[in-house]
């Protein structure tokens, strides 16, 4: 419950939601690829660097964003596993349990994400 509340609170702000969506669009199927450097995010969303840094910190604290160093840049990527976990948590009691432990919608999303990683 606490993890879900943290993630939902992080996404309940316009700039952070825009950042997360931009990072989802920049996702790559292989680990260590894709994502956006902080400067690219700031430019794409017209967000000042200090403001962007604050929002990225909030998203990372909620577990929705991961980062890696590439040369002199820090590249940020959406943590899709965390988002799938959040969706699974929200849909866990779908259909009053008649669908099983996880909604067919969440299972389909998980399967398509796994296919992309292969």
């Amino acid at each position: 419950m606490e993890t879900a509340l943290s993630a939902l609170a992080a996404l309940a702000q316009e700039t952070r939601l825009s950042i997360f969506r931009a990072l989802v669009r920049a996702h790559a199927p292989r680990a260590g690829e894709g994502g956006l450097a902080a400067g690219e995010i700031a430019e794409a969303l017209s967000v000042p660097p200090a403001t962007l840094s604050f929002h990225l910190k909030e998203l990372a604290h909620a577990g929705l964003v991961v980062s890696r160093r590439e040369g002199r840049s820090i590249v940020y990527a959406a943590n899709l596993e965390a988002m799938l976990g959040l969706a699974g948590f929200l849909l866990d009691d779908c259909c009053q349990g008649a669908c099983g432990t996880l909604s067919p919608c969440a299972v389909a999303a998980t399967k398509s994400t796994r296919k992309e990683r292969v």
Side-chain angles (χ1 to χ4, degrees):
M1 180 73 69
E2 197 171 307
T3 301
L5 288 171
S6 176
L8 291 168
L11 292 172
Q13 199 281 339
E14 184 177 351
T15 302
R16 288 193 289 268
L17 184 57
S18 295
I19 292 167
F20 186 80
R21 293 187 73 214
L23 292 175
V24 168
R25 284 189 294 275
H27 181 72
R30 291 193 196 116
E33 294 181 359
L36 296 169
E40 293 174 306
I41 300 168
E43 185 177 325
L45 301 177
S46 300
V47 177
T51 302
L52 178 69
S53 179
F54 169 78
H55 289 303
L56 285 168
K57 178 184 67 78
E58 292 297 310
L59 289 166
H61 184 262
L64 296 170
V65 168
V66 294
S67 62
R68 68 182 185 278
R69 182 166 288 283
E70 283 188 6
R72 294 176 36 191
S73 298
I74 297 177
V75 176
Y76 294 89
N79 183 349
L80 298 185
E81 291 295 322
M83 181 51 74
L84 288 172
L86 176 60
F89 173 79
L90 293 172
L91 298 173
D92 196 35
D93 295 322
C94 174
C95 309
Q96 297 178 341
C99 296
T101 59
L102 191 61
S103 156
C105 300
V107 171
T110 303
K111 286 180 181 175
S112 68
T113 301
R114 286 185 185 141
K115 286 179 189 174
E116 291 174 2
R117 283 192 229 133
V118 175

